[in-house]
Amino acid sequence: LIVTPPLATATSGEGYATLGELTDGREIVQEFTVDDEGLRGVDVLTATYARANAGTLTLTLSDAVNETVAATRVLPAAEVPDNGWLRLECEPQPRASGRWRLTIAAQGARPGQGVTLWTTAGPAADSGSLTVDGAPDPRSIWYRAFATSPERVPGATLLWSGDLNLYRNPAAMPRAWFVSSVE
C-alpha cells in the first residue's frame, strides 16, 4: 500500500492572528488556486474563545470563475471546534486547474458570541486573496484544500480517500517470498 497526503493546496504564510468575531452580517471570502488534482473539500482553522457561541455560519465553496457552487454547509456556531479544523466537503470536482472561492457568512451572533478564524499574522505568501466584509486583506485565513488525486500514484488503485489517500500498488513485492530458482 502507498499512503499520500491529499492536500491540493494550503495556506502559505507565517504566524497566527485572529480575524475577530464573526458577528451577524460579517462575510469572509478566501480565494485559492488548485492544480489539476481535483478538489473534494476544504478545512478552515477556527477558534471559539472556549465558549458556546450563538448564531450560525454558512460555508459555501464555489468555482471562482463560473460561479458554480460545489458545496454549502450551514451549522450552529455552538458546533464549531475550538482551535480546530472546520470541514466543508463536496462531491469530487473535475481534475482541472482552477480558482476556488470559500465564503463564510455569519448570522445571528452579537459581540461576545461569535467564533473567529485564524489568519496569517502578516501578508500571505501564496497566490490566494482574502476579503473581509468587502475589503481586501493582505493576510490569508488558515485553510487546507483536499485533492481527490485518483492518479497521483501511476499504476496504483485508489482504495480510500480521506484525511490520507490510500493506494494499492500491484507491482509491490510481498514482504517475504520464495524464489523459483537459483543460478
Side-chain angles (χ1 to χ4, degrees):
L1 298 178
I2 300 170
V3 179
T4 66
L7 290 181
T9 187
T11 301
S12 179
E14 294 182 8
Y16 292 88
T18 59
L19 190 61
E21 286 186 87
L22 299 182
T23 54
D24 191 48
R26 293 206 65 197
E27 183 178 80
I28 312 305
V29 179
Q30 177 71 55
E31 288 195 8
F32 55 91
T33 302
V34 174
D35 60 16
D36 64 354
E37 294 184 335
L39 182 66
R40 63 179 172 80
V42 63
D43 285 352
V44 294
L45 191 55
T46 62
T48 67
Y49 304 107
R51 64 179 181 226
N53 290 287
T56 59
L57 292 181
T58 302
L59 288 79
T60 304
L61 182 63
S62 59
D63 183 312
V65 176
N66 62 26
E67 302 294 327
T68 56
V69 174
T72 299
R73 180 179 180 191
V74 179
L75 75 154
E79 294 178 13
V80 174
D82 189 29
N83 293 320
W85 294 101
L86 177 61
R87 180 160 295 174
L88 174 60
E89 293 180 324
C90 61
E91 289 295 318
Q93 298 300 302
R95 295 189 66 217
S97 297
R99 191 116 173 115
W100 288 87
R101 178 178 298 132
L102 175 64
T103 303
I104 303 169
Q107 302 88 26
R110 294 188 312 270
Q113 298 179 329
V115 302
T116 190
L117 302 174
W118 287 103
T119 67
T120 56
D126 57 17
S127 63
S129 64
L130 175 63
T131 305
V132 178
D133 300 326
D137 191 310
R139 301 173 298 171
S140 175
I141 61 173
W142 282 101
Y143 70 89
R144 54 188 185 187
F146 294 93
T148 305
S149 305
E151 291 137 16
R152 183 173 270 181
V153 182
T157 304
L158 180 66
L159 298 176
W160 185 75
S161 185
D163 288 341
L164 295 171
N165 285 353
L166 184 63
Y167 300 86
R168 179 183 315 277
N169 181 1
M173 299 297 287
R175 293 178 75 180
W177 67 95
F178 291 98
V179 295
S180 58
S181 66
V182 176
E183 290 186 23

